Amino acid sequence: MSKILVIAHRGASGERPEHTIESYRLAIAEGADYIEPDLVMTRDGVLIARHENEIGGTTDVAQHPEFATRRRTQIIDGETMAGWFTEDFTLAEIKTLRARERLPELRPQNCAFDGRFEVPTFDEIMQLAAATNRRRSGGVKIGVYPETKHPAHFAAIGLPQEQAVLDTLRLHGYDAVGSPVFIQSFDPGNLRQLRGMTRLPLLQLLEHELGDLGEIATYADGIGIAKSLASAEGVLAAHAVNLKVHVWTFRAENEFLPEDLRIGTVPAAHGDLEGEIQRFLRRGIDGFFVDFPAIGARVRDAYISGVQPLHQPPIATSLPGKRPQGR
Ligand code: G3P
Ligand code: CA
């Protein structure tokens, strides 16, 4: 059986504010095969790790009076967004901000880290990967799994991401065929463009339907699909056209688990994430994005060795059953 990849979604984002060096570092320590940075651009053309270019939800920018006038509303990929946008800030300005937990009601323990960590550049993340590899001295390199976020929007404002992503990978020795890299995007146009620029593996993200897998296979090496699309039949169909299947996103909180795997009724409490991952592993997937890489690696390793993992007690919480913010 080829290895099933554990992809640390935004780092160990269940345990640290997402997309911070500390989140990626913890993910590596916990046994992730790949770390996943979502990438957006600054005004001066630097790739930084954020899930979206609006940074009001994941940084303390709202507490910076010097940036109050930068708040604005714009339409991005057809959606009206209000807030502060990375393309309005230089990297030097971004570096004055500090990360905040995206889901404070579901992950209150992570709020202890609010205000402590910088927003990292893609280059800094690759430096972490390179330092990890040096420590491993000849062992398996840590994989990187960058996602271009809003690539059409950034191209339209004169901040294209594609060459910058490839240049940064090359700078850190991740450009050769066989390097542990997947470049992912929801935008097929972006992936087709990248196909003309690199032989590195590309992955088409899909949320609502699998679509024409044969067509996707003309430019991509895999699909990254929402759990709702990851039936055994869907996995087989993708494999039939030589597409890898990676599934997102596995999270331990009851809020994100199916009813039969929740433990108790508190949305922030942890349910049976192990059981959920096992279900998808049995469908033949090739990898999965997980906010808790330690759990992901443990379940994957046990599955491959044919041993059921020992159930770890979920983290108890007495939080009231509030709804989450964001995704
Ligand atoms: O990239 C896989 C998964 O992360 C896609 O969703 O919104 O978390 O980037 P998102
Ligand atoms: Ca992503």
Side-chain angles (χ1 to χ4, degrees):
M1 184 188 300
S2 65
K3 191 168 184 186
I4 300 164
L5 303 180
V6 175
I7 306 151
H9 185 245
R10 315 180 192 171
S13 57
E15 300 160 275
R16 296 290 184 278
E18 67 186 36
H19 291 314
T20 58
I21 289 293
E22 290 74 11
S23 180
Y24 300 122
R25 187 177 286 132
L26 181 58
I28 293 168
E30 290 185 355
D33 300 305
Y34 282 69
I35 51 174
E36 191 231 8
D38 297 323
L39 298 175
V40 295
M41 277 285 200
T42 66
R43 189 170 78 197
D44 45 351
V46 181
L47 288 167
I48 59 172
R50 290 289 93 190
H51 178 259
E52 56 272 305
N53 56 337
E54 199 289 304
I55 50 175
T58 62
T59 74
D60 61 0
V61 65
Q63 277 72 60
H64 285 250
E66 70 274 26
F67 297 136
T69 58
R70 305 273 178 101
R71 193 174 195 281
R72 66 184 173 109
T73 300
Q74 63 171 328
I75 298 172
I76 300 166
D77 297 340
E79 197 178 335
T80 301
M81 302 281 297
W84 291 264
F85 298 93
T86 58
E87 62 263 39
D88 296 334
F89 292 78
T90 64
L91 177 63
E93 290 170 335
I94 290 286
K95 283 295 186 181
T96 69
L97 308 178
R98 292 294 177 268
R100 296 177 62 83
E101 170 55 42
R102 172 188 295 277
L103 304 170
E105 293 179 351
L106 287 175
R107 295 173 173 170
Q109 69 281 3
N110 291 2
C111 297
F113 301 99
D114 283 358
R116 289 175 51 182
F117 304 147
E118 292 183 5
V119 174
T121 65
F122 186 36
D123 184 72
E124 288 166 343
I125 296 163
M126 293 307 302
Q127 288 179 39
L128 173 68
T132 301
N133 297 336
R134 280 193 297 277
R135 271 200 314 280
R136 291 180 175 182
S137 62
V140 177
K141 287 170 82 170
I142 185 71
V144 290
Y145 210 127
E147 178 182 350
T148 53
K149 286 288 186 186
H150 309 299
H153 167 76
F154 279 108
I157 60 173
L159 294 168
Q161 296 164 302
E162 298 76 21
Q163 194 60 54
V165 171
L166 297 176
D167 287 348
T168 307
L169 289 170
R170 186 174 62 245
L171 186 66
H172 295 281
Y174 278 74
D175 55 332
V177 172
S179 297
V181 178
F182 282 92
I183 304 175
Q184 48 168 337
S185 181
F186 281 104
D187 182 343
N190 181 244
L191 291 173
R192 288 178 191 279
Q193 182 183 354
L194 282 162
R195 184 75 298 159
M197 303 168 72
T198 182
R199 293 176 64 197
L200 289 171
L202 304 178
L203 186 119
Q204 175 70 62
L205 294 171
L206 301 166
E207 182 163 20
H208 302 297
E209 58 181 359
L210 291 181
D212 186 342
L213 294 174
E215 174 62 21
I216 292 171
T218 64
Y219 60 86
D221 303 280
I223 52 174
I225 58 179
K227 288 185 282 190
S228 59
L229 299 179
S231 64
E233 296 74 22
V235 175
L236 273 176
H239 285 169
V241 291
N242 290 321
L243 289 169
K244 298 283 187 196
V245 179
H246 297 169
V247 180
W248 45 273
T249 299
F250 290 88
R251 293 167 154 164
E253 294 86 0
N254 281 334
E255 176 68 24
F256 302 111
L257 289 166
E259 262 182 46
D260 65 316
L261 293 177
R262 293 176 191 159
I263 299 176
T265 57
V266 177
H270 287 198
D272 186 7
L273 174 61
E274 294 156 341
E276 187 186 40
I277 294 171
Q278 286 165 10
R279 271 182 198 172
F280 282 85
L281 293 178
R282 286 195 288 268
R283 295 176 195 176
I285 66 174
D286 303 294
F288 57 98
F289 294 78
V290 59
D291 286 8
F292 295 84
I295 297 176
R298 186 171 70 241
V299 177
R300 184 275 312 274
D301 291 348
Y303 179 78
I304 288 177
S305 65
V307 177
Q308 291 297 310
L310 283 176
H311 187 77
Q312 302 289 309
I315 297 170
T317 174
S318 58
L319 277 181
K322 291 182 179 170
R323 307 300 298 173
Q325 304 169 5
R327 291 199 315 161

